Amino acid sequence: MDVIKKNWFSESCEMWPGSTFSFEVKKLLHKERSPFQEIQVFDSTSLGRVLVLDGIIQCTQKDEYSYQEMISFLPLCCHRNPEKVLIVGGGDGGVARDVAKHPNVKEIVQVEIDAKVIEVSKKYLPFMAVGFDSKKLTLHVGDGFEFMKNHSHEFDVIITDSSDPIGPAVSLFQENYFSLMKSALKPNGIVCSQAGTYWDNMDLVKNTLNICKNQFPSAAYAITSVPTYPSGSIGFVIGSLEENVKFDNPVREFTREQLNDMDLKYYNTDIHKAAFALPNFVKNVIDA
Amino acid sequence: MDVIKKNWFSESCEMWPGSTFSFEVKKLLHKERSPFQEIQVFDSTSLGRVLVLDGIIQCTQKDEYSYQEMISFLPLCCHRNPEKVLIVGGGDGGVARDVAKHPNVKEIVQVEIDAKVIEVSKKYLPFMAVGFDSKKLTLHVGDGFEFMKNHSHEFDVIITDSSDPIGPAVSLFQENYFSLMKSALKPNGIVCSQAGTYWDNMDLVKNTLNICKNQFPSAAYAITSVPTYPSGSIGFVIGSLEENVKFDNPVREFTREQLNDMDLKYYNTDIHKAAFALPNFVKNVIDA
């Protein structure tokens, strides 16, 4: 008890009081305050490189791919022909990297609000920032919310890779944001947004899913394992303009060889289906 | 950085160097060294009661049920008629509590090596130790390994609820233990053992699964979410004396109403199926 550890970083956040995850730091590679948030990059002894925004772990080299692959391929594989994709947020480049792997995707537009996150990722997190090199990608620095006001009926899939709903990302969890995404979608379009976990924040899950249900005729919640996030997992809401979409039954499947060729380490069809399985205590709240 | 926190408990273990989970302590309720291990029970600010053995979190009131329900109902629901069940370990009572809920189970025999864990759980962890009150249960204090040498062809299901393979539980991850379990089973019997996670210990997963495959004609690995375990998850190997068992397709299904009546908070048929879905990076190692 009474932890005293030198050279360890501990996450602390009002969203998860009373428990915390810590890692041993090899070196603090970068620290600055951008106009939007405090950015830190660490080299760690057990997790590789780690990106921290406002004191919260955003991704570690050890497990970032499960998050990036799932927030990308869950919506992409529920869409018959996802040619044009909008990414809001995702300043580390990881989602762009994985969206670009899908063979149907021809064009990716990304809007990230914080140029400093992009710059820092390019310098210290090349395994994710490689996404910015994709020829499919057009990158804008700006507010995704504002961007969508001027882009109607343009996208097949919109992925919101945001931080948690404190700080710059608050607006991305609100009804008018989901309404804007709806208007920016082509017919049969699909959205997917980070939405917290039922272990730590059942209200956030229920509220975000309800907002999604209000705006989209089909909506569901899925979850994936990410060991270095609080509760070791992270969830998504997914919504479609089509009716009666069975999100847990993807319209596009890839063989194991194809997945390996695309360098997908986590996502496959079984994992896709499994992500939508919910425990009883969650169903009892969500369906109430 | 440089964590200095009073009244926080931090897990530390050679199995997971370089990262750790910590929780805020309301009160240390109990601390003693038994002949087998150091036992601590905390009251915490965010997780309820917490049992710690040799410095490692065994269960917290917040999330213990996902572990207990899964290690119990995965094997029970793969068996056509699980009347007689052996539990090795499980000194907190949680597995006995959940095994007793299955309507086919008539008789439970439990062998826990450390009487002190049982005693402490009865005093401080009544939400799990309630399992010891079941009329179906016969409880022995002793070595499960030795117990099975004198019990052949007796059990339909054997559940090994052990701590990790350091300290008293090492022998429960070895080939001769799986061989003994095999001889203690009735025809068509099924075993289920805690077996670590692929995020933190791929070698342990692969080795334990290989041992299980050596002894049983059908074997598989499953995983479940437990936020307060390292990596936020824990895995199991499951083996059956029957050939070609589809573990991800349980022979027994319960309705939502039945699950709620049994007070199962986590387990259901969708969750059962999902537990066997493995990421590509795991399949590539396990199948290699």
Side-chain angles (χ1 to χ4, degrees), chain A residues 2-3 7 18 20 22 24 199 225 256 264-265 267-268 278 280-281, chain B residues 2 7 10 18 20 22 24 199 225 264-265 267-268 278 280-281 287:
Chain A
D2 298 345
V3 187
N7 293 318
T20 188
S22 313
E24 190 180 7
W199 286 113
S225 170
R256 186 151 163 194
L264 289 177
K265 300 180 183 72
Y267 178 90
N268 58 48
L278 300 179
N280 304 324
F281 78 97
Chain B
D2 299 344
N7 293 318
S10 277
T20 189
S22 312
E24 189 180 8
W199 286 114
S225 170
L264 289 178
K265 298 179 184 73
Y267 178 90
N268 58 48
L278 299 179
N280 304 324
F281 79 96
D287 300 343

PDB file of all heavy atoms in Angstrom, chain A residues 2-3 7 18 20 22 24 199 225 256 264-265 267-268 278 280-281, chain B residues 2 7 10 18 20 22 24 199 225 264-265 267-268 278 280-281 287:
ATOM      1  N   ASP A   2       0.222   2.414  -0.129  1.00  0.00           N
ATOM      2  CA  ASP A   2       0.932   3.681  -0.174  1.00  0.00           C
ATOM      3  C   ASP A   2       2.016   3.653  -1.242  1.00  0.00           C
ATOM      4  O   ASP A   2       3.222   3.659  -0.956  1.00  0.00           O
ATOM      5  CB  ASP A   2       1.543   4.017   1.199  1.00  0.00           C
ATOM      6  CG  ASP A   2       0.460   4.178   2.262  1.00  0.00           C
ATOM      7  OD1 ASP A   2      -0.721   4.304   1.878  1.00  0.00           O
ATOM      8  OD2 ASP A   2       0.803   4.165   3.435  1.00  0.00           O
ATOM      9  N   VAL A   3       1.562   3.619  -2.463  1.00  0.00           N
ATOM     10  CA  VAL A   3       2.443   3.522  -3.627  1.00  0.00           C
ATOM     11  C   VAL A   3       3.446   4.677  -3.681  1.00  0.00           C
ATOM     12  O   VAL A   3       3.048   5.830  -3.623  1.00  0.00           O
ATOM     13  CB  VAL A   3       1.593   3.616  -4.919  1.00  0.00           C
ATOM     14  CG1 VAL A   3       2.467   3.351  -6.121  1.00  0.00           C
ATOM     15  CG2 VAL A   3       0.413   2.695  -4.852  1.00  0.00           C
ATOM     16  N   ASN A   7       9.325   7.387 -11.685  1.00  0.00           N
ATOM     17  CA  ASN A   7       9.327   7.085 -13.116  1.00  0.00           C
ATOM     18  C   ASN A   7       8.191   6.174 -13.553  1.00  0.00           C
ATOM     19  O   ASN A   7       8.357   5.352 -14.438  1.00  0.00           O
ATOM     20  CB  ASN A   7      10.675   6.492 -13.553  1.00  0.00           C
ATOM     21  CG  ASN A   7      11.775   7.520 -13.443  1.00  0.00           C
ATOM     22  OD1 ASN A   7      11.589   8.677 -13.802  1.00  0.00           O
ATOM     23  ND2 ASN A   7      12.914   7.098 -12.911  1.00  0.00           N
ATOM     24  N   GLY A  18     -11.042   6.447  -7.885  1.00  0.00           N
ATOM     25  CA  GLY A  18     -10.836   5.311  -6.988  1.00  0.00           C
ATOM     26  C   GLY A  18     -10.061   4.150  -7.559  1.00  0.00           C
ATOM     27  O   GLY A  18      -9.756   3.196  -6.853  1.00  0.00           O
ATOM     28  N   THR A  20      -6.903   3.173 -10.829  1.00  0.00           N
ATOM     29  CA  THR A  20      -6.053   3.744 -11.874  1.00  0.00           C
ATOM     30  C   THR A  20      -5.087   2.725 -12.441  1.00  0.00           C
ATOM     31  O   THR A  20      -4.745   1.736 -11.784  1.00  0.00           O
ATOM     32  CB  THR A  20      -5.267   4.972 -11.327  1.00  0.00           C
ATOM     33  OG1 THR A  20      -4.604   5.618 -12.416  1.00  0.00           O
ATOM     34  CG2 THR A  20      -4.204   4.543 -10.332  1.00  0.00           C
ATOM     35  N   SER A  22      -1.251   2.310 -14.199  1.00  0.00           N
ATOM     36  CA  SER A  22       0.050   2.974 -14.250  1.00  0.00           C
ATOM     37  C   SER A  22       1.026   2.160 -15.080  1.00  0.00           C
ATOM     38  O   SER A  22       0.919   0.944 -15.151  1.00  0.00           O
ATOM     39  CB  SER A  22       0.652   3.112 -12.843  1.00  0.00           C
ATOM     40  OG  SER A  22      -0.276   3.609 -11.923  1.00  0.00           O
ATOM     41  N   GLU A  24       5.403   1.919 -16.246  1.00  0.00           N
ATOM     42  CA  GLU A  24       6.776   2.343 -15.989  1.00  0.00           C
ATOM     43  C   GLU A  24       7.316   3.088 -17.213  1.00  0.00           C
ATOM     44  O   GLU A  24       7.233   2.590 -18.334  1.00  0.00           O
ATOM     45  CB  GLU A  24       7.641   1.123 -15.691  1.00  0.00           C
ATOM     46  CG  GLU A  24       9.024   1.481 -15.180  1.00  0.00           C
ATOM     47  CD  GLU A  24       9.864   0.243 -14.883  1.00  0.00           C
ATOM     48  OE1 GLU A  24       9.423  -0.889 -15.206  1.00  0.00           O
ATOM     49  OE2 GLU A  24      10.970   0.397 -14.343  1.00  0.00           O
ATOM     50  N   TRP A 199     -18.862  -1.051 -18.009  1.00  0.00           N
ATOM     51  CA  TRP A 199     -18.254  -1.330 -16.707  1.00  0.00           C
ATOM     52  C   TRP A 199     -18.052  -0.034 -15.921  1.00  0.00           C
ATOM     53  O   TRP A 199     -18.237   0.010 -14.711  1.00  0.00           O
ATOM     54  CB  TRP A 199     -16.905  -2.023 -16.860  1.00  0.00           C
ATOM     55  CG  TRP A 199     -16.974  -3.460 -17.263  1.00  0.00           C
ATOM     56  CD1 TRP A 199     -16.558  -3.990 -18.447  1.00  0.00           C
ATOM     57  CD2 TRP A 199     -17.457  -4.569 -16.484  1.00  0.00           C
ATOM     58  NE1 TRP A 199     -16.752  -5.351 -18.446  1.00  0.00           N
ATOM     59  CE2 TRP A 199     -17.302  -5.730 -17.253  1.00  0.00           C
ATOM     60  CE3 TRP A 199     -18.006  -4.677 -15.205  1.00  0.00           C
ATOM     61  CZ2 TRP A 199     -17.671  -6.993 -16.800  1.00  0.00           C
ATOM     62  CZ3 TRP A 199     -18.376  -5.929 -14.744  1.00  0.00           C
ATOM     63  CH2 TRP A 199     -18.204  -7.077 -15.542  1.00  0.00           C
ATOM     64  N   SER A 225     -11.864  -5.395 -26.555  1.00  0.00           N
ATOM     65  CA  SER A 225     -10.840  -5.457 -25.522  1.00  0.00           C
ATOM     66  C   SER A 225      -9.670  -4.538 -25.875  1.00  0.00           C
ATOM     67  O   SER A 225      -9.090  -4.641 -26.952  1.00  0.00           O
ATOM     68  CB  SER A 225     -10.359  -6.916 -25.446  1.00  0.00           C
ATOM     69  OG  SER A 225      -9.219  -7.033 -24.642  1.00  0.00           O
ATOM     70  N   ARG A 256      -8.975 -15.547 -43.652  1.00  0.00           N
ATOM     71  CA  ARG A 256      -7.822 -15.357 -42.776  1.00  0.00           C
ATOM     72  C   ARG A 256      -6.605 -14.885 -43.562  1.00  0.00           C
ATOM     73  O   ARG A 256      -5.853 -14.020 -43.099  1.00  0.00           O
ATOM     74  CB  ARG A 256      -7.516 -16.704 -42.113  1.00  0.00           C
ATOM     75  CG  ARG A 256      -6.446 -16.602 -41.082  1.00  0.00           C
ATOM     76  CD  ARG A 256      -6.683 -17.655 -40.063  1.00  0.00           C
ATOM     77  NE  ARG A 256      -5.525 -17.899 -39.258  1.00  0.00           N
ATOM     78  CZ  ARG A 256      -5.404 -18.945 -38.478  1.00  0.00           C
ATOM     79  NH1 ARG A 256      -6.361 -19.852 -38.422  1.00  0.00           N
ATOM     80  NH2 ARG A 256      -4.326 -19.094 -37.740  1.00  0.00           N
ATOM     81  N   LEU A 264      -4.206  -7.022 -40.569  1.00  0.00           N
ATOM     82  CA  LEU A 264      -5.179  -6.839 -39.490  1.00  0.00           C
ATOM     83  C   LEU A 264      -4.850  -7.858 -38.396  1.00  0.00           C
ATOM     84  O   LEU A 264      -4.943  -9.065 -38.611  1.00  0.00           O
ATOM     85  CB  LEU A 264      -6.610  -7.017 -40.000  1.00  0.00           C
ATOM     86  CG  LEU A 264      -7.125  -5.891 -40.903  1.00  0.00           C
ATOM     87  CD1 LEU A 264      -8.529  -6.188 -41.409  1.00  0.00           C
ATOM     88  CD2 LEU A 264      -7.115  -4.541 -40.180  1.00  0.00           C
ATOM     89  N   LYS A 265      -4.480  -7.375 -37.236  1.00  0.00           N
ATOM     90  CA  LYS A 265      -4.025  -8.259 -36.150  1.00  0.00           C
ATOM     91  C   LYS A 265      -5.176  -8.724 -35.265  1.00  0.00           C
ATOM     92  O   LYS A 265      -5.096  -9.756 -34.612  1.00  0.00           O
ATOM     93  CB  LYS A 265      -2.999  -7.531 -35.285  1.00  0.00           C
ATOM     94  CG  LYS A 265      -1.760  -7.077 -36.033  1.00  0.00           C
ATOM     95  CD  LYS A 265      -0.805  -6.354 -35.079  1.00  0.00           C
ATOM     96  CE  LYS A 265       0.409  -5.824 -35.813  1.00  0.00           C
ATOM     97  NZ  LYS A 265       0.054  -4.658 -36.674  1.00  0.00           N
ATOM     98  N   TYR A 267      -9.091  -7.750 -35.885  1.00  0.00           N
ATOM     99  CA  TYR A 267     -10.424  -7.906 -36.472  1.00  0.00           C
ATOM    100  C   TYR A 267     -10.560  -9.155 -37.347  1.00  0.00           C
ATOM    101  O   TYR A 267      -9.728  -9.428 -38.199  1.00  0.00           O
ATOM    102  CB  TYR A 267     -10.768  -6.681 -37.333  1.00  0.00           C
ATOM    103  CG  TYR A 267     -12.126  -6.813 -38.000  1.00  0.00           C
ATOM    104  CD1 TYR A 267     -13.267  -6.353 -37.369  1.00  0.00           C
ATOM    105  CD2 TYR A 267     -12.260  -7.447 -39.237  1.00  0.00           C
ATOM    106  CE1 TYR A 267     -14.522  -6.503 -37.964  1.00  0.00           C
ATOM    107  CE2 TYR A 267     -13.513  -7.595 -39.839  1.00  0.00           C
ATOM    108  CZ  TYR A 267     -14.635  -7.127 -39.189  1.00  0.00           C
ATOM    109  OH  TYR A 267     -15.861  -7.282 -39.766  1.00  0.00           O
ATOM    110  N   ASN A 268     -11.638  -9.885 -37.147  1.00  0.00           N
ATOM    111  CA  ASN A 268     -12.077 -10.907 -38.093  1.00  0.00           C
ATOM    112  C   ASN A 268     -13.601 -11.066 -37.908  1.00  0.00           C
ATOM    113  O   ASN A 268     -14.188 -10.410 -37.024  1.00  0.00           O
ATOM    114  CB  ASN A 268     -11.317 -12.236 -37.899  1.00  0.00           C
ATOM    115  CG  ASN A 268     -11.456 -12.802 -36.499  1.00  0.00           C
ATOM    116  OD1 ASN A 268     -12.562 -12.883 -35.957  1.00  0.00           O
ATOM    117  ND2 ASN A 268     -10.336 -13.184 -35.887  1.00  0.00           N
ATOM    118  N   LEU A 278     -23.872  -8.796 -25.414  1.00  0.00           N
ATOM    119  CA  LEU A 278     -23.895  -7.989 -24.194  1.00  0.00           C
ATOM    120  C   LEU A 278     -24.324  -8.817 -22.982  1.00  0.00           C
ATOM    121  O   LEU A 278     -25.230  -9.642 -23.079  1.00  0.00           O
ATOM    122  CB  LEU A 278     -24.855  -6.804 -24.362  1.00  0.00           C
ATOM    123  CG  LEU A 278     -24.512  -5.835 -25.498  1.00  0.00           C
ATOM    124  CD1 LEU A 278     -25.550  -4.724 -25.585  1.00  0.00           C
ATOM    125  CD2 LEU A 278     -23.115  -5.241 -25.306  1.00  0.00           C
ATOM    126  N   ASN A 280     -26.071  -9.741 -19.351  1.00  0.00           N
ATOM    127  CA  ASN A 280     -27.441  -9.507 -18.880  1.00  0.00           C
ATOM    128  C   ASN A 280     -27.604  -8.173 -18.163  1.00  0.00           C
ATOM    129  O   ASN A 280     -28.589  -7.472 -18.355  1.00  0.00           O
ATOM    130  CB  ASN A 280     -27.871 -10.617 -17.922  1.00  0.00           C
ATOM    131  CG  ASN A 280     -27.738 -11.968 -18.567  1.00  0.00           C
ATOM    132  OD1 ASN A 280     -27.973 -12.108 -19.761  1.00  0.00           O
ATOM    133  ND2 ASN A 280     -27.329 -12.957 -17.800  1.00  0.00           N
ATOM    134  N   PHE A 281     -26.629  -7.825 -17.319  1.00  0.00           N
ATOM    135  CA  PHE A 281     -26.804  -6.587 -16.540  1.00  0.00           C
ATOM    136  C   PHE A 281     -26.827  -5.369 -17.460  1.00  0.00           C
ATOM    137  O   PHE A 281     -27.422  -4.348 -17.116  1.00  0.00           O
ATOM    138  CB  PHE A 281     -25.747  -6.450 -15.430  1.00  0.00           C
ATOM    139  CG  PHE A 281     -24.371  -5.983 -15.851  1.00  0.00           C
ATOM    140  CD1 PHE A 281     -24.001  -4.646 -15.741  1.00  0.00           C
ATOM    141  CD2 PHE A 281     -23.435  -6.880 -16.327  1.00  0.00           C
ATOM    142  CE1 PHE A 281     -22.727  -4.215 -16.104  1.00  0.00           C
ATOM    143  CE2 PHE A 281     -22.151  -6.459 -16.695  1.00  0.00           C
ATOM    144  CZ  PHE A 281     -21.803  -5.126 -16.590  1.00  0.00           C
TER     145      PHE A 281
ATOM    146  N   ASP B   2       5.785   9.879 -11.265  1.00  0.00           N
ATOM    147  CA  ASP B   2       6.280   9.656  -9.902  1.00  0.00           C
ATOM    148  C   ASP B   2       5.140   9.597  -8.890  1.00  0.00           C
ATOM    149  O   ASP B   2       4.971  10.478  -8.044  1.00  0.00           O
ATOM    150  CB  ASP B   2       7.291  10.741  -9.491  1.00  0.00           C
ATOM    151  CG  ASP B   2       8.497  10.747 -10.406  1.00  0.00           C
ATOM    152  OD1 ASP B   2       8.679   9.745 -11.134  1.00  0.00           O
ATOM    153  OD2 ASP B   2       9.241  11.728 -10.395  1.00  0.00           O
ATOM    154  N   ASN B   7      -2.756   5.417   0.958  1.00  0.00           N
ATOM    155  CA  ASN B   7      -3.997   4.645   1.035  1.00  0.00           C
ATOM    156  C   ASN B   7      -4.479   4.123  -0.306  1.00  0.00           C
ATOM    157  O   ASN B   7      -5.679   4.032  -0.553  1.00  0.00           O
ATOM    158  CB  ASN B   7      -5.112   5.466   1.718  1.00  0.00           C
ATOM    159  CG  ASN B   7      -4.801   5.706   3.167  1.00  0.00           C
ATOM    160  OD1 ASN B   7      -4.332   4.796   3.851  1.00  0.00           O
ATOM    161  ND2 ASN B   7      -4.994   6.916   3.625  1.00  0.00           N
ATOM    162  N   SER B  10      -1.513  -1.098  -4.765  1.00  0.00           N
ATOM    163  CA  SER B  10      -1.052  -1.378  -6.128  1.00  0.00           C
ATOM    164  C   SER B  10      -0.670  -2.833  -6.242  1.00  0.00           C
ATOM    165  O   SER B  10       0.104  -3.352  -5.429  1.00  0.00           O
ATOM    166  CB  SER B  10       0.175  -0.539  -6.464  1.00  0.00           C
ATOM    167  OG  SER B  10      -0.207   0.721  -6.883  1.00  0.00           O
ATOM    168  N   GLY B  18       6.156  -3.722 -15.372  1.00  0.00           N
ATOM    169  CA  GLY B  18       6.072  -2.477 -16.144  1.00  0.00           C
ATOM    170  C   GLY B  18       4.707  -1.830 -16.217  1.00  0.00           C
ATOM    171  O   GLY B  18       4.568  -0.740 -16.761  1.00  0.00           O
ATOM    172  N   THR B  20       0.688  -1.623 -13.892  1.00  0.00           N
ATOM    173  CA  THR B  20      -0.015  -2.073 -12.683  1.00  0.00           C
ATOM    174  C   THR B  20      -1.359  -1.376 -12.527  1.00  0.00           C
ATOM    175  O   THR B  20      -1.572  -0.285 -13.053  1.00  0.00           O
ATOM    176  CB  THR B  20       0.848  -1.826 -11.418  1.00  0.00           C
ATOM    177  OG1 THR B  20       0.224  -2.455 -10.299  1.00  0.00           O
ATOM    178  CG2 THR B  20       0.976  -0.335 -11.121  1.00  0.00           C
ATOM    179  N   SER B  22      -4.172  -0.037  -9.649  1.00  0.00           N
ATOM    180  CA  SER B  22      -4.242   0.378  -8.247  1.00  0.00           C
ATOM    181  C   SER B  22      -5.661   0.810  -7.896  1.00  0.00           C
ATOM    182  O   SER B  22      -6.390   1.287  -8.754  1.00  0.00           O
ATOM    183  CB  SER B  22      -3.327   1.581  -7.991  1.00  0.00           C
ATOM    184  OG  SER B  22      -2.046   1.382  -8.520  1.00  0.00           O
ATOM    185  N   GLU B  24      -8.089   2.764  -4.603  1.00  0.00           N
ATOM    186  CA  GLU B  24      -8.092   3.527  -3.365  1.00  0.00           C
ATOM    187  C   GLU B  24      -8.718   2.700  -2.247  1.00  0.00           C
ATOM    188  O   GLU B  24      -9.811   2.158  -2.414  1.00  0.00           O
ATOM    189  CB  GLU B  24      -8.869   4.828  -3.573  1.00  0.00           C
ATOM    190  CG  GLU B  24      -8.747   5.807  -2.422  1.00  0.00           C
ATOM    191  CD  GLU B  24      -9.536   7.090  -2.674  1.00  0.00           C
ATOM    192  OE1 GLU B  24     -10.293   7.139  -3.668  1.00  0.00           O
ATOM    193  OE2 GLU B  24      -9.413   8.025  -1.869  1.00  0.00           O
ATOM    194  N   TRP B 199      -3.172 -11.364 -24.035  1.00  0.00           N
ATOM    195  CA  TRP B 199      -2.566 -10.029 -24.002  1.00  0.00           C
ATOM    196  C   TRP B 199      -1.299 -10.020 -23.157  1.00  0.00           C
ATOM    197  O   TRP B 199      -0.316  -9.372 -23.506  1.00  0.00           O
ATOM    198  CB  TRP B 199      -3.548  -9.008 -23.421  1.00  0.00           C
ATOM    199  CG  TRP B 199      -4.674  -8.617 -24.327  1.00  0.00           C
ATOM    200  CD1 TRP B 199      -5.995  -8.875 -24.142  1.00  0.00           C
ATOM    201  CD2 TRP B 199      -4.591  -7.881 -25.560  1.00  0.00           C
ATOM    202  NE1 TRP B 199      -6.729  -8.339 -25.174  1.00  0.00           N
ATOM    203  CE2 TRP B 199      -5.905  -7.720 -26.054  1.00  0.00           C
ATOM    204  CE3 TRP B 199      -3.526  -7.332 -26.289  1.00  0.00           C
ATOM    205  CZ2 TRP B 199      -6.188  -7.038 -27.239  1.00  0.00           C
ATOM    206  CZ3 TRP B 199      -3.819  -6.657 -27.467  1.00  0.00           C
ATOM    207  CH2 TRP B 199      -5.125  -6.511 -27.932  1.00  0.00           C
ATOM    208  N   SER B 225     -14.323 -10.699 -20.032  1.00  0.00           N
ATOM    209  CA  SER B 225     -13.929  -9.399 -19.513  1.00  0.00           C
ATOM    210  C   SER B 225     -14.015  -9.381 -17.990  1.00  0.00           C
ATOM    211  O   SER B 225     -15.062  -9.694 -17.422  1.00  0.00           O
ATOM    212  CB  SER B 225     -14.903  -8.367 -20.110  1.00  0.00           C
ATOM    213  OG  SER B 225     -14.767  -7.110 -19.503  1.00  0.00           O
ATOM    214  N   LEU B 264     -28.107 -14.499 -12.716  1.00  0.00           N
ATOM    215  CA  LEU B 264     -26.880 -14.447 -13.519  1.00  0.00           C
ATOM    216  C   LEU B 264     -26.800 -13.066 -14.155  1.00  0.00           C
ATOM    217  O   LEU B 264     -27.649 -12.684 -14.948  1.00  0.00           O
ATOM    218  CB  LEU B 264     -26.888 -15.545 -14.590  1.00  0.00           C
ATOM    219  CG  LEU B 264     -26.707 -16.971 -14.051  1.00  0.00           C
ATOM    220  CD1 LEU B 264     -26.782 -17.984 -15.183  1.00  0.00           C
ATOM    221  CD2 LEU B 264     -25.376 -17.125 -13.310  1.00  0.00           C
ATOM    222  N   LYS B 265     -25.776 -12.321 -13.784  1.00  0.00           N
ATOM    223  CA  LYS B 265     -25.657 -10.921 -14.221  1.00  0.00           C
ATOM    224  C   LYS B 265     -24.900 -10.814 -15.542  1.00  0.00           C
ATOM    225  O   LYS B 265     -25.055  -9.852 -16.290  1.00  0.00           O
ATOM    226  CB  LYS B 265     -24.921 -10.105 -13.162  1.00  0.00           C
ATOM    227  CG  LYS B 265     -25.612 -10.043 -11.817  1.00  0.00           C
ATOM    228  CD  LYS B 265     -24.772  -9.229 -10.834  1.00  0.00           C
ATOM    229  CE  LYS B 265     -25.387  -9.237  -9.448  1.00  0.00           C
ATOM    230  NZ  LYS B 265     -25.217 -10.566  -8.792  1.00  0.00           N
ATOM    231  N   TYR B 267     -23.490 -13.978 -17.697  1.00  0.00           N
ATOM    232  CA  TYR B 267     -23.570 -15.077 -18.658  1.00  0.00           C
ATOM    233  C   TYR B 267     -24.913 -15.134 -19.392  1.00  0.00           C
ATOM    234  O   TYR B 267     -25.982 -15.082 -18.774  1.00  0.00           O
ATOM    235  CB  TYR B 267     -23.358 -16.425 -17.948  1.00  0.00           C
ATOM    236  CG  TYR B 267     -23.488 -17.599 -18.900  1.00  0.00           C
ATOM    237  CD1 TYR B 267     -22.377 -18.080 -19.568  1.00  0.00           C
ATOM    238  CD2 TYR B 267     -24.735 -18.185 -19.164  1.00  0.00           C
ATOM    239  CE1 TYR B 267     -22.500 -19.131 -20.476  1.00  0.00           C
ATOM    240  CE2 TYR B 267     -24.851 -19.234 -20.067  1.00  0.00           C
ATOM    241  CZ  TYR B 267     -23.729 -19.704 -20.716  1.00  0.00           C
ATOM    242  OH  TYR B 267     -23.839 -20.735 -21.617  1.00  0.00           O
ATOM    243  N   ASN B 268     -24.841 -15.289 -20.708  1.00  0.00           N
ATOM    244  CA  ASN B 268     -26.003 -15.686 -21.507  1.00  0.00           C
ATOM    245  C   ASN B 268     -25.468 -16.395 -22.760  1.00  0.00           C
ATOM    246  O   ASN B 268     -24.241 -16.484 -22.948  1.00  0.00           O
ATOM    247  CB  ASN B 268     -26.897 -14.474 -21.840  1.00  0.00           C
ATOM    248  CG  ASN B 268     -26.155 -13.380 -22.585  1.00  0.00           C
ATOM    249  OD1 ASN B 268     -25.458 -13.655 -23.567  1.00  0.00           O
ATOM    250  ND2 ASN B 268     -26.301 -12.143 -22.124  1.00  0.00           N
ATOM    251  N   LEU B 278     -11.568 -15.459 -31.294  1.00  0.00           N
ATOM    252  CA  LEU B 278     -10.184 -15.065 -31.017  1.00  0.00           C
ATOM    253  C   LEU B 278      -9.647 -14.140 -32.109  1.00  0.00           C
ATOM    254  O   LEU B 278      -9.911 -14.351 -33.291  1.00  0.00           O
ATOM    255  CB  LEU B 278      -9.296 -16.304 -30.918  1.00  0.00           C
ATOM    256  CG  LEU B 278      -9.664 -17.304 -29.811  1.00  0.00           C
ATOM    257  CD1 LEU B 278      -8.719 -18.494 -29.850  1.00  0.00           C
ATOM    258  CD2 LEU B 278      -9.617 -16.635 -28.445  1.00  0.00           C
ATOM    259  N   ASN B 280      -6.943 -12.381 -34.719  1.00  0.00           N
ATOM    260  CA  ASN B 280      -6.005 -13.009 -35.659  1.00  0.00           C
ATOM    261  C   ASN B 280      -4.640 -13.275 -35.039  1.00  0.00           C
ATOM    262  O   ASN B 280      -4.041 -14.317 -35.275  1.00  0.00           O
ATOM    263  CB  ASN B 280      -5.815 -12.111 -36.879  1.00  0.00           C
ATOM    264  CG  ASN B 280      -7.134 -11.808 -37.531  1.00  0.00           C
ATOM    265  OD1 ASN B 280      -8.019 -12.653 -37.580  1.00  0.00           O
ATOM    266  ND2 ASN B 280      -7.290 -10.581 -38.021  1.00  0.00           N
ATOM    267  N   PHE B 281      -4.121 -12.310 -34.270  1.00  0.00           N
ATOM    268  CA  PHE B 281      -2.766 -12.499 -33.743  1.00  0.00           C
ATOM    269  C   PHE B 281      -2.713 -13.684 -32.790  1.00  0.00           C
ATOM    270  O   PHE B 281      -1.651 -14.286 -32.614  1.00  0.00           O
ATOM    271  CB  PHE B 281      -2.210 -11.209 -33.104  1.00  0.00           C
ATOM    272  CG  PHE B 281      -2.694 -10.896 -31.706  1.00  0.00           C
ATOM    273  CD1 PHE B 281      -1.944 -11.251 -30.594  1.00  0.00           C
ATOM    274  CD2 PHE B 281      -3.884 -10.209 -31.500  1.00  0.00           C
ATOM    275  CE1 PHE B 281      -2.366 -10.945 -29.300  1.00  0.00           C
ATOM    276  CE2 PHE B 281      -4.317  -9.891 -30.222  1.00  0.00           C
ATOM    277  CZ  PHE B 281      -3.565 -10.262 -29.123  1.00  0.00           C
ATOM    278  N   ASP B 287      -2.601 -21.731 -33.673  1.00  0.00           N
ATOM    279  CA  ASP B 287      -2.700 -22.722 -34.747  1.00  0.00           C
ATOM    280  C   ASP B 287      -1.349 -23.040 -35.386  1.00  0.00           C
ATOM    281  O   ASP B 287      -1.278 -23.912 -36.259  1.00  0.00           O
ATOM    282  CB  ASP B 287      -3.656 -22.230 -35.846  1.00  0.00           C
ATOM    283  CG  ASP B 287      -5.064 -21.991 -35.299  1.00  0.00           C
ATOM    284  OD1 ASP B 287      -5.357 -22.498 -34.213  1.00  0.00           O
ATOM    285  OD2 ASP B 287      -5.853 -21.312 -35.977  1.00  0.00           O
TER     286      ASP B 287
END
